[in-house]
Amino acid sequence: MSTKTYTGKDIQVLEGLDPVRKRPGMYIGGTGKPGLHHLVWEIVDNAVDEASNGHATYIEVVLHRDGKSITVTDNGRGIPVDLHPTKKIPTLQVILTTLHAGGKFDNSNYITSGGLHGVGASVVNALSEELVAIIKRDGGTFEQHYARGIPVSKLKKTSSTTRKTGTSIFFRPDSEIFESTEFDADRIREALEIKTYLNGALRIVFKDEAKGETLEFFHEGGIAEYQEYLLNDLNARPVHENAFLLKQDEIRLGSRVELVLQWTESPKEHIKSFVNGIPTVDGGTHEQGFRDAIRSAIRSYMDTHDLIPRKLDIGSDDIREGIVGIINLFMVDPQFQGQTKEKLNNPSARALVSGVLRLELEQFLNRHPSTGDAIATRVIQSAKARHASRAAASSVRRKSNVSHRLNLPGKLADCSSTDPTESELFIVEGDSAGGSAKQGRDRMYQAILPLRGKVLNAEQASLKKVVENKELSNIVLALGCGIGEQLDLSRLRYHRIILLMDADTDGLHITTLLLTFFYRYMRPLIDEGYIYIAQPPLFRIDAAKKTYWALDEEDRDAIIAKIESKNRKAKIDLQRFKGLGEMMPATLKATTLDPEKRRLLRVIIPDEFRLETENTISDLMGKDPSARFRFIMQHAYEAEDLDV
Ligand code: 0R9
């Protein structure tokens, strides 16, 4: 820390950056991890500006060994070090100590990566314990040190023998300001790589000193290459081969639009939007224009070519389902909104993007009718599915609205409690197992629903068929929360829905069919973690007056080995259950129903497996029975092991 006394100039500087230290959230969104990393983006964006204006070819970002400080270097012209014409201090110091508006320091109103032209540097300086700027320019190397936005040294010339030019900024964020000052290397790496996708000529080197790792990012293919990366990452299969790619300057408006767009089999829409290479996580007017144009271009194409089936309503959700796309809008003076300033707010951007895109996309479709038709088919498929699900859901609602208890299925042995958080529903295979379960349960909070008939494969049937299936509609009625788009979790009658099937292939088959049904039509039950799989034992082992339960052969062998290691002469009595039906109620209670003793598997889909799950279910539940079986076996072991 410096102990020097302030001069008049310093006090002016202090006043200048004081608001930033008082209310950092106003400038960087907050003082948590996103805010901390915002400092990196500010400095990197200034370097990217210099590169996109054609003066730098190389940016290096070093995350230092302590994980709490960073150096960003570019090989551009170097921030000017001469005296600022009016302020009479070096321009570098002006840049680092005053909150200024973009474009103030030069009059070429060209578009910059952040559109801010060095604006963020003073904010980073204000919020850093220490900042060191090193400039190579005019044949010399210059250096100046700062602490919390205040210069602690004058700008010094440290060498006069360099022919190189460039800017290097080292900074260590202030631990008095941030909740934590530990940077996240993965987050930085990912953001840097995206910058190189958005700027095909840019080369960024990232060094992680703690890991001793150096990575270089360079993606000449630009956003087209980014699109390839996204498709892979999302595991989204395109329905047409060539992506629609648009790069257009709107010279009149001083803007440029770059975008790429492709329909896939993914059940969702994935749009990444940027303004001047800065991510707009909360979207904004450019994204609205993107969506407007897609909707009207596709509608117009389908209308013109008479591709809309009669009586089928096509909504904009249907048109957008499965889209994977990127939009990067370059514009002068972008205005951002929202807490973290990640939403574009300029009204002109909407009309600009939609105007350019609508025209070009329609022409593209008309020039590539096979692509147009593939997209139309995808849209129709989505509209039909939505339609069927709406119709079926309202039929179930009509049925289940009559009265709560009066309308419960006859086969349900309900529990007395009406508090869903403590109530459990066991869905049990077969009437005889159902009988044992009814006798072994705690009727206060455990309900039993036996399944008798065949469970329909929901993947291969329309929703109308699904609801007509007695077993599935009984489940829906018992749960009480509705189905499909009408599902209302607040009406769910049980917060644990436990599938209790025999430990054989038939049992696994039924479990899979039920999971497919929940996944397709009652998905929030899975997402909220309400679905469980019971694990009834396959073997009973009696030895030395003790009883053990084994889930499978492996478990059995392990238990026997353990017994024998303790007592070599132990007489071991082994019983294999053929099915739940032949288990005594007391045995079922002790092994499978009693929360103190049972083991349940909770069904979860980790975020990183969401798409894979979607594809697996549609692939396997559709056609191939052997692949389906492999799927069950694999996932039974992947389910999270949980004692409840
Ligand atoms: C390491 C991160 N890099 C930067 O922060 C950085 C800012 C910067 C820059 C200029 C060149 N390189 C830079 N790197 C620059 C130079 C000149 C004109 N405009 C920009 C010039 O030589 O005339 N600047 C960003 C703002 C400013 N310079 C300015 F306002 F001080 F001019």
Side-chain angles (χ1 to χ4, degrees):
M1 274 290 327
S2 143
T3 50
K4 78 181 194 108
T5 50
Y6 295 125
T7 65
K9 237 184 255 160
D10 294 332
I11 288 165
Q12 186 202 340
V13 163
L14 188 63
E15 280 169 359
L17 292 181
D18 214 28
V20 183
R21 290 187 60 83
K22 277 216 174 96
R23 306 184 65 186
M26 293 277 294
Y27 299 87
I28 53 166
T31 54
K33 287 276 168 176
L36 177 75
H37 289 81
H38 205 97
L39 304 187
V40 187
W41 320 145
E42 289 288 357
I43 299 296
V44 169
D45 286 339
N46 290 340
V48 174
D49 274 354
E50 185 68 356
S52 43
N53 291 323
H55 300 292
T57 56
Y58 173 85
I59 296 169
E60 183 190 78
V61 178
V62 181
L63 175 57
H64 294 295
R65 194 171 292 277
D66 62 359
K68 297 177 175 182
S69 57
I70 287 203
T71 300
V72 181
T73 305
D74 68 55
N75 66 349
R77 293 165 293 175
I79 300 179
V81 287
D82 50 355
L83 284 194
H84 188 269
T86 55
K87 304 215 168 169
K88 308 291 181 214
I89 51 174
T91 304
L92 171 75
Q93 190 170 329
V94 177
I95 282 283
L96 287 173
T97 56
T98 44
L99 279 169
H100 54 274
K104 201 163 163 186
F105 293 89
D106 71 354
N107 40 25
S108 68
N109 209 6
Y110 54 66
I111 307 157
T112 55
S113 99
L116 300 170
H117 203 62
V119 171
S122 60
V123 171
V124 176
N125 194 18
L127 301 177
S128 293
E129 251 158 52
E130 185 186 357
L131 182 142
V132 180
I134 299 177
I135 314 294
K136 290 189 197 317
R137 204 184 150 104
D138 309 331
T141 304
F142 302 82
E143 186 171 325
Q144 191 174 24
H145 291 239
Y146 292 83
R148 303 196 160 95
I150 301 161
V152 291
S153 73
K154 287 206 150 150
L155 179 69
K156 272 186 221 132
K157 191 170 191 176
T158 55
S159 136
S160 45
T161 56
T162 182
R163 278 191 298 118
K164 291 190 189 148
T165 61
T167 302
S168 175
I169 306 274
F170 162 90
F171 65 99
R172 184 152 32 81
D174 193 342
S175 54
E176 286 173 9
I177 301 269
F178 292 96
E179 289 153 31
S180 153
T181 54
E182 196 89 43
F183 285 110
D184 176 347
D186 286 337
R187 195 168 182 156
I188 296 172
R189 178 183 46 70
E190 192 184 327
L192 295 179
E193 179 151 34
I194 290 176
K195 298 240 173 263
T196 60
Y197 278 120
L198 295 176
N199 189 335
L202 186 64
R203 196 177 293 277
I204 300 185
V205 168
F206 176 49
K207 289 189 180 155
D208 180 345
E209 284 186 350
K211 269 203 211 133
E213 184 179 81
T214 299
L215 300 168
E216 181 176 299
F217 304 118
F218 176 66
H219 295 291
E220 222 173 353
I223 58 169
E225 210 177 320
Y226 188 19
Q227 173 82 356
E228 289 295 316
Y229 164 84
L230 279 181
L231 291 175
N232 240 317
D233 192 46
L234 296 164
N235 197 6
R237 201 178 319 151
V239 300
H240 55 101
E241 197 176 335
N242 294 325
F244 168 75
L245 187 67
L246 176 71
K247 293 188 181 184
Q248 191 157 318
D249 290 301
E250 277 294 300
I251 300 177
R252 199 166 36 89
L253 300 164
S255 318
R256 176 175 171 77
V257 180
E258 283 193 11
L259 60 84
V260 57
L261 176 61
Q262 202 163 8
W263 275 260
T264 73
E265 288 174 4
S266 163
K268 290 214 186 113
E269 170 199 61
H270 306 268
I271 294 179
K272 299 266 183 204
S273 68
F274 303 85
V275 173
N276 302 334
I278 310 278
T280 34
V281 178
D282 298 323
T285 45
H286 57 330
E287 252 192 60
Q288 281 174 333
F290 189 68
R291 292 200 169 93
D292 291 348
I294 293 170
R295 192 183 55 235
S296 54
I298 297 298
R299 209 176 265 291
S300 149
Y301 177 82
M302 290 179 74
D303 272 341
T304 319
H305 297 267
D306 208 12
L307 296 174
I308 304 180
R310 263 194 297 147
K311 290 196 184 156
L312 186 66
D313 265 349
I314 306 257
S316 50
D317 287 354
D318 303 322
I319 294 178
R320 283 160 32 195
E321 189 173 298
I323 285 182
V324 176
I326 303 159
I327 168 162
N328 188 12
L329 171 67
F330 294 90
M331 67 182 293
V332 182
D333 195 21
Q335 303 292 319
F336 296 96
Q337 201 190 27
Q339 174 68 10
T340 51
K341 302 271 183 283
E342 286 172 314
K343 183 172 182 181
L344 183 68
N345 199 24
N346 302 54
S348 62
R350 182 169 184 171
L352 177 103
V353 174
S354 81
V356 173
L357 174 56
R358 181 182 171 166
L359 199 74
E360 293 291 324
L361 182 57
E362 259 196 82
Q363 283 181 0
F364 169 83
L365 297 172
N366 288 321
R367 257 185 263 124
H368 303 90
S370 66
T371 302
D373 292 356
I375 295 169
T377 307
R378 175 71 183 86
V379 171
I380 290 166
Q381 176 201 354
S382 149
K384 281 186 173 163
R386 210 176 297 275
H387 205 71
S389 127
R390 233 176 253 143
S394 62
S395 110
V396 171
R397 206 184 39 226
R398 272 198 307 282
K399 281 191 202 160
S400 65
N401 261 355
V402 185
S403 152
H404 241 45
R405 293 237 164 191
L406 273 182
N407 202 37
L408 292 173
K411 290 200 297 176
L412 174 76
D414 204 6
C415 54
S416 335
S417 169
T418 53
D419 176 1
T421 60
E422 63 171 20
S423 303
E424 304 184 332
L425 175 67
F426 282 87
I427 300 175
V428 184
E429 176 187 357
D431 276 342
S432 82
S436 293
K438 277 181 202 168
Q439 291 178 53
R441 69 176 171 147
D442 178 338
R443 55 175 60 236
M444 182 63 204
Y445 66 92
Q446 293 184 318
I448 310 291
L449 179 67
L451 294 181
R452 190 188 301 139
K454 211 166 141 38
V455 175
L456 195 74
N457 182 351
E459 185 67 16
Q460 291 172 349
S462 69
L463 208 117
K464 191 164 163 290
K465 279 261 155 16
V466 165
V467 175
E468 282 167 9
N469 179 260
K470 191 80 193 137
E471 306 307 316
L472 294 181
S473 76
N474 275 346
I475 292 175
V476 176
L477 290 177
L479 294 176
C481 60
I483 183 172
E485 288 183 356
Q486 319 285 337
L487 190 144
D488 175 3
L489 280 179
S490 70
R491 288 171 29 216
L492 180 63
R493 302 179 62 248
Y494 315 92
H495 281 192
R496 285 198 193 113
I497 303 155
I498 303 165
L499 312 185
L500 173 54
M501 307 298 148
D502 283 340
D504 58 14
T505 46
D506 268 358
L508 283 174
H509 187 196
I510 299 173
T511 300
T512 311
L513 292 170
L514 289 175
L515 289 180
T516 303
F517 165 68
F518 287 129
Y519 181 83
R520 276 285 170 245
Y521 297 107
M522 304 188 85
R523 177 70 181 273
L525 300 182
I526 296 183
D527 291 341
E528 292 301 318
Y530 292 149
I531 309 277
Y532 298 83
I533 299 173
Q535 291 192 289
L538 199 54
F539 298 99
R540 174 184 172 136
I541 304 157
D542 284 284
K545 295 198 177 133
K546 268 193 162 168
T547 305
Y548 306 83
W549 310 100
L551 292 179
D552 52 25
E553 280 82 0
E554 198 182 327
D555 209 14
R556 173 198 63 194
D557 296 345
I559 292 171
I560 293 179
K562 212 166 172 190
I563 296 171
E564 286 179 336
S565 76
K566 281 199 198 135
N567 177 358
R568 301 185 107 260
K569 286 192 208 126
K571 189 173 158 318
I572 293 175
D573 185 58
L574 186 69
Q575 182 196 356
R576 184 191 171 106
F577 298 111
K578 288 208 194 72
L580 292 168
E582 62 173 44
M583 232 183 241
M584 299 294 289
T587 307
L588 194 60
K589 181 186 172 85
T591 59
T592 317
L593 301 179
D594 184 351
E596 299 292 323
K597 301 188 183 136
R598 71 189 182 195
R599 292 211 316 159
L600 295 182
L601 297 173
R602 182 185 232 161
V603 178
I604 54 161
I605 307 175
D607 276 348
E608 62 272 30
F609 289 125
R610 282 187 183 264
L611 246 135
E612 196 181 316
T613 307
E614 171 64 33
N615 292 338
T616 313
I617 290 185
S618 56
D619 284 357
L620 299 186
M621 296 310 290
K623 303 140 213 152
D624 180 359
S626 67
R628 181 186 313 156
F629 180 69
R630 277 199 304 280
F631 165 82
I632 303 168
M633 300 304 283
Q634 215 173 329
H635 284 256
Y637 294 107
E638 280 171 13
E640 181 184 307
D641 216 343
L642 197 84
D643 291 309
V644 184

